[in-house]
Amino acid sequence: MKPVKIAMMGMTHGHTRKYYQTLLENKKLDWVASCAQDEEAKKVYEIYKTGVPCYLDPDQMYADHPDIEAVVIASANDRHYEQMKWCAEKGIHILSMKIPSFDMEEYDRMIELVDQAGIVCQIELEMHYNPVVKRLKKLIDEGAIGKVKAVQATNITLSPVWAFPWQGDPKASFGKVVPLKKGDPRFRGGALCDHPHIFDLIRHLTGSSFDYIYAEVAPNLRKELKVEDMLMAVGKLKDGTAFLFDPSWSRLEERLKVPGPGWERFPKRMEVNVTITGEKGMLSCDCFGPNVYHNGAPNDRYTVQYTYFDEWVGLIDEFVDCIRNHKTPLINLKWHKETIHAMLGCYESLETGKIARI
Amino acid sequence: MNIKKMNKGLDFLCTKYGAKKGEITLKDGHCFVGATPLLPQRVERKIVELLKMTENGTLEGVSTLRFASFAPKGADVQALLARELDVAAYLGKAKVVRVMAVANGPAINALVKLANDVNCSVEISAGLPRGQAAYDRHEIICARGVGSDQTIDTHTPHASIRVSGAKGMEEYTDVDTELFGMTYEEVWNVRAAFALLQNPKLGAEWKKAYAAANKAAASCFAADKAKRAKTL
């Protein structure tokens, strides 16, 4: 199979660096260029010494590499539409970050663009390529605990805002400046916008869809933030499954400009844990374990060091397969729309104090 | 729970430390001394240590409490929830003022707001197989620090001893030398009774807290039915 000529755009998303190894190692790909949002993003990109040229102007990149077939859009949420449009106009396939847009009119225009251009647009929800999630789905499908009755899931991390400031900017993260609720000085665009995975996962595991959702926001851990960093949600799926989600930035961090060792202050950077009650039993699951532990450099304090599974390998494999074999990715814009609706439902509930119907 | 054995232990403690004598009785699955409901969670060592952390400056600026409690099939889900809501009020140092919950079969997930704006999530399930030990988890998330009664990076509780022998895997977690041989639940009920007998003023506080926790738990089920948050 001819390798797919691929490029990256934006380079400001927290997941940007996670692609480098896969793009360089995967023989089905030929990573030809990158295009940074600005000088700052280019400077950070160059630290990683990928050997792939980095531009600041996408048109210049395309002029120099007119054979680009696919782009990983690794930018702030409010830049996604213009970049998708740029790709669609050129018939370039798209791998989008996890939040294409929170503006549902814009979201529908993205669907139109992709459909009209006949291109692949895959959404980056890497948990689908995690081996623990694969086992979890298999166990549930095989009836290990019977029909699912209740799910609790965490998607808790440190806050990436110090390295990726757009994630603390209501406009760049949520797409527009919307207060959380009356009398609250914070705006939409924080931890919730960073953590769609559990909203997606429950649909994937149960095959059901959201009925309603209710959310509560708690006092921020980081008083400087304009956006929420602690919130939780409960609700039900249409099949009656009761859920409790924690998508908070509840793990404190060192305020590094570039992520690296010592970023975490809580010993653990991130956790996606799930407990499920079924008709026949219970199941608890740590999607990122087992790990290794140390108290060495740089801070000489107890640290959980991940033994990452590198979900990006499977994600890219699917993307290439869809491009070469004209398939639709499992996580496409249309599938993902309900997940975005559920996340918006959380914000609606925070504003009204009532459940939001999805 | 073996009430006879527990009362023997209580008598031992009261005699040894010169406290007023009393007797534990079991009513609807809950332990009482006289008319006072026992709140064993308020003397349980791990909860007491977590509370201390919020009081001595180890943890500062409580934002969110995250609790879970899992019990074998047939357990009283509402009683489990009431217990956790009492822990929420105790550790959060404020009353529960608003509850929303979703229930399904043997499980209920509750999201509650305390009067000081702290959030608390409570995950309850009576979905463990019969005979399996119940376990719980309490986490306090603060602007300065996170405290938890479970080990970081594991989703199973720690056991003091694991024996891999002829009977397969056996676990032991003994927490009280003076009451050695009692189950975890028995130990903290005896300790609660002893605390009450040593300090009778706790009676009024516990009666009030028990009523508030039960009211909040009932409101969670009402919120699930109504599909709207209930203000207390």
Side-chain angles (χ1 to χ4, degrees):
Chain A
M1 189 169 67
K2 190 180 145 204
V4 172
K5 300 264 185 196
I6 197 162
M8 291 189 76
M9 279 179 89
M11 324 306 284
T12 55
H13 197 279
H15 286 176
T16 305
R17 70 193 187 287
K18 297 184 178 180
Y19 284 92
Y20 298 165
Q21 192 178 349
T22 303
L23 296 195
L24 288 170
E25 286 179 355
N26 192 324
K27 299 297 172 208
K28 296 172 192 164
L29 294 172
D30 182 8
W31 183 13
V32 294
S34 299
C35 183
Q37 194 76 49
D38 49 35
E39 283 288 357
E40 188 72 21
K42 189 167 187 257
K43 220 186 294 175
V44 174
Y45 171 77
E46 281 163 355
I47 294 171
Y48 293 92
K49 299 187 192 320
T50 63
V52 176
C54 188
Y55 295 80
L56 286 167
D57 175 5
D59 293 326
Q60 184 61 52
M61 174 175 78
Y62 192 60
D64 290 354
H65 301 277
D67 53 353
I68 290 172
E69 296 175 83
V71 161
V72 179
I73 295 179
S75 55
N77 293 341
D78 68 339
R79 306 301 299 270
H80 290 167
Y81 178 74
E82 63 176 85
Q83 290 169 342
M84 276 198 192
K85 190 164 178 279
W86 185 90
C87 289
E89 283 167 356
K90 293 163 184 63
I92 292 174
H93 303 288
I94 298 163
L95 183 61
S96 165
M97 293 296 106
K98 49 199 175 183
I99 306 293
S101 176
F102 279 115
D103 177 334
M104 297 321 284
E105 280 180 27
E106 187 175 81
Y107 196 104
D108 286 340
R109 290 205 300 278
M110 287 174 170
I111 293 174
E112 270 175 45
L113 282 173
V114 166
D115 284 351
Q116 281 169 11
I119 54 174
V120 171
C121 179
Q122 182 174 331
I123 314 299
E124 180 219 55
L125 286 173
E126 72 276 11
M127 296 302 295
H128 282 269
Y129 313 92
N130 171 301
V132 179
V133 171
K134 194 168 177 179
R135 174 68 62 184
L136 183 59
K137 170 89 172 133
K138 188 169 183 284
L139 285 166
I140 289 169
D141 289 349
E142 289 170 352
I145 54 167
K147 189 187 174 323
V148 172
K149 306 293 279 182
V151 173
Q152 182 277 150
T154 57
N155 184 178
I156 51 179
T157 63
L158 44 67
S159 174
V161 296
W162 319 107
F164 309 102
W166 69 266
Q167 292 197 262
D169 179 329
K171 164 80 172 58
S173 179
F174 185 71
K176 56 188 168 193
V177 181
V178 182
L180 270 189
K181 58 181 175 178
K182 204 176 169 188
D184 195 306
R186 294 168 293 180
F187 300 92
R188 296 180 181 185
L192 178 61
C193 297
D194 195 25
H195 293 150
H197 300 286
I198 45 183
F199 294 84
D200 170 77
L201 197 58
I202 196 168
R203 298 172 58 209
H204 179 60
L205 293 177
T206 62
S208 188
S209 50
F210 286 97
D211 184 2
Y212 65 89
I213 201 157
Y214 174 89
E216 287 273 12
V217 69
N220 270 15
L221 302 185
R222 302 158 188 84
K223 304 298 176 199
E224 310 88 326
L225 293 192
K226 290 181 194 164
V227 293
E228 84 284 354
D229 69 5
M230 294 293 296
L231 79 159
M232 288 189 280
V234 290
K236 281 196 175 172
L237 300 184
K238 288 199 172 124
D239 69 355
T241 300
F243 62 84
L244 165 62
F245 289 162
D246 183 354
S248 298
W249 285 332
S250 59
R251 303 312 185 214
L252 293 174
E253 64 285 330
E254 294 296 340
R255 298 178 175 191
L256 304 183
K257 286 274 184 199
V258 179
W263 197 14
E264 58 283 279
R265 279 173 63 193
F266 186 74
K268 201 176 175 185
R269 274 183 199 186
M270 175 270 286
E271 167 187 304
V272 177
N273 281 8
V274 184
T275 49
I276 303 178
T277 298
E279 270 174 351
K280 293 192 218 157
M282 283 191 70
L283 178 158
S284 71
C285 164
D286 174 359
C287 295
F288 294 98
N291 294 305
V292 293
Y293 312 90
H294 72 85
N295 67 341
N299 297 319
D300 304 311
R301 64 181 172 219
Y302 188 73
T303 303
V304 178
Q305 180 154 320
Y306 287 94
T307 49
Y308 279 107
F309 299 122
D310 203 350
E311 292 76 8
W312 277 264
V313 172
L315 185 146
I316 285 291
D317 282 344
E318 186 187 0
F319 187 47
V320 172
D321 183 43
C322 289
I323 292 171
R324 285 288 177 256
N325 299 306
H326 310 288
K327 292 181 184 171
T328 302
L330 180 64
I331 313 303
N332 55 70
L333 281 168
K334 286 171 190 162
W335 155 270
H336 193 46
K337 196 172 168 181
E338 187 186 321
T339 296
I340 300 292
H341 270 303
M343 296 171 80
L344 285 170
C346 289
Y347 282 130
E348 183 190 324
S349 174
L350 290 180
E351 193 179 345
T352 64
K354 295 176 181 168
I355 62 163
R357 292 275 178 191
I358 310 303
Chain B
M1 282 185 286
N2 182 335
I3 297 294
K4 196 175 165 189
K5 189 174 162 190
M6 289 163 67
N7 275 317
K8 203 174 160 194
L10 178 62
D11 188 61
F12 164 77
L13 290 176
C14 290
T15 304
K16 182 176 176 183
Y17 295 102
K20 190 184 144 193
K21 296 281 178 96
E23 192 183 348
I24 299 168
T25 54
L26 191 64
K27 202 161 70 184
D28 299 329
H30 198 92
C31 288
F32 287 75
V33 169
T36 304
L38 298 182
L39 299 181
Q41 60 272 17
R42 293 190 174 216
V43 297
E44 195 176 335
R45 203 162 297 149
K46 61 183 194 175
I47 302 295
V48 170
E49 289 301 325
L50 285 172
L51 182 69
K52 271 193 216 165
M53 287 183 203
T54 67
E55 291 173 339
N56 65 13
T58 303
L59 302 174
E60 291 176 5
V62 179
S63 166
T64 296
L65 309 171
R66 294 199 322 131
F67 298 167
S69 177
F70 306 122
K73 287 186 172 76
D76 182 341
V77 171
Q78 190 160 333
L80 290 169
L81 178 59
R83 180 190 190 279
E84 295 306 319
L85 292 175
D86 178 58
V87 178
Y90 188 56
L91 288 182
K93 290 185 176 296
K95 287 193 293 191
V96 172
V97 292
R98 188 165 64 240
V99 300
M100 177 61 190
V102 285
N104 193 17
I108 184 163
N109 292 324
L111 186 44
V112 311
K113 181 64 87 177
L114 303 186
N116 53 7
D117 200 31
V118 166
N119 269 5
C120 178
S121 70
V122 186
E123 181 195 3
I124 302 284
S125 174
L128 295 174
R130 287 180 200 277
Q132 194 166 317
Y135 65 100
D136 57 19
R137 186 185 66 236
H138 303 90
E139 185 180 19
I140 308 176
I141 300 165
C142 309
R144 181 179 190 183
V146 172
S148 171
D149 59 8
Q150 290 295 341
T151 320
I152 292 164
D153 205 35
T154 176
H155 51 116
T156 51
H158 181 62
S160 315
I161 296 177
R162 285 205 173 86
V163 184
S164 297
K167 295 183 202 164
M169 173 73 85
E170 289 177 296
E171 291 182 345
Y172 297 89
T173 299
D174 292 289
V175 292
D176 197 316
T177 306
E178 287 178 313
L179 300 175
F180 188 78
M182 287 189 197
T183 66
Y184 193 83
E185 189 183 19
E186 288 168 347
V187 163
W188 299 118
N189 271 291
V190 173
R191 285 287 168 190
F194 179 55
L196 180 68
L197 292 168
Q198 275 191 314
N199 179 10
K201 282 182 187 165
L202 280 177
E205 185 187 322
W206 284 10
K207 277 180 191 164
K208 206 173 150 189
Y210 182 71
N214 278 291
K215 187 180 170 192
S219 298
C220 285
F221 284 92
D224 170 56
K225 282 208 175 77
K227 296 188 172 79
R228 63 183 306 138
K230 294 279 177 191
T231 302
L232 303 176

